[in-house]
Amino acid sequence: MADPRIIDIKLDERTILWRNADVEQERRIAIFDLLEDNHFAPQRVHEDGYAGPYRVVLRVEDGRLVVEMRREDDSPLEAVILGLGRFRRPIREYFAICDSYYQAISNASPQQIETVDMARRGIHNQAAEMLMERLEGKIAVDFDTARRLFTLICVLHIKG
């Protein structure tokens, strides 16, 4: 019986060069929310019919995102590799708006904070839609899963 969801997700720690408390909090929240509720269905049919649940490792290699999928027993299943060129701009924009958001929290009015947060959510939503498009035919994910995965992809790109 199919169980198309992620039950464990890890980021390749060798890929993450630096992170501050805000980034670490975003990572923890994204992972917690992802594991609580997600839809993750690789589209490739496996000989034995395995269809979840999945353990996932995300890493960046040579400018590409590697989504390594493993079975529930942690045995290897497959990996999907995506070029990240189209994500460079949304990642850069997301980092910039997050910096503005964290600065606004400490010294802006509630209305200014809300305005920056709306812009942050807009960039995040557009990037999630792009991720869903790039995964099309490879892995079916719902919108919330794509948003959380994009957050984790951003964490993998922090350079310090």
Side-chain angles (χ1 to χ4, degrees):
M1 185 155 125
D3 190 3
R5 65 188 172 96
I6 298 171
I7 58 168
D8 184 51
I9 188 159
K10 292 186 172 70
L11 304 181
D12 181 1
E13 292 296 324
R14 296 171 300 164
T15 306
I16 303 169
L17 301 179
W18 176 87
R19 58 182 174 228
N20 64 21
D22 293 328
V23 170
E24 185 59 24
Q25 180 67 4
E26 290 283 328
R27 183 193 67 79
R28 277 196 302 270
I29 291 169
I31 289 174
F32 178 84
D33 289 347
L34 184 68
L35 296 178
E36 284 291 304
D37 182 34
N38 69 80
H39 177 79
F40 184 90
Q43 300 299 285
R44 184 167 159 224
V45 177
H46 298 281
E47 287 182 18
D48 64 357
Y50 190 82
Y54 302 94
R55 296 179 182 277
V56 174
V57 177
L58 298 178
R59 68 178 178 275
V60 175
E61 285 181 8
D62 301 322
R64 294 184 178 110
L65 175 68
V66 178
V67 181
E68 181 184 321
M69 293 165 274
R70 302 176 84 71
R71 297 170 191 266
E72 187 172 21
D73 68 5
D74 209 32
S75 61
L77 192 59
E78 68 175 297
V80 169
I81 300 171
L82 296 177
L84 286 169
R86 290 183 50 199
F87 289 97
R88 286 193 204 338
R89 183 175 181 178
I91 289 169
R92 204 170 38 249
E93 289 174 351
Y94 187 67
F95 283 150
I97 198 73
C98 283
D99 285 343
S100 297
Y101 177 73
Y102 295 129
Q103 289 173 10
I105 288 174
S106 63
N107 60 18
S109 71
Q111 185 177 6
Q112 290 168 319
I113 293 170
E114 184 178 339
T115 300
V116 174
D117 189 45
M118 286 175 58
R120 181 174 73 123
R121 279 183 275 147
I123 290 169
H124 204 165
N125 290 347
Q126 289 174 344
E129 289 170 3
M130 181 188 302
L131 181 58
M132 290 175 73
E133 289 170 12
R134 297 285 291 127
L135 289 172
E136 194 171 320
K138 298 170 184 74
I139 304 170
V141 296
D142 63 12
F143 183 73
D144 288 336
T145 300
R147 285 185 97 249
R148 293 164 184 147
L149 288 172
F150 177 73
T151 299
L152 298 175
I153 291 167
C154 287
V155 171
L156 291 172
H157 280 81
I158 293 174
K159 302 295 184 211

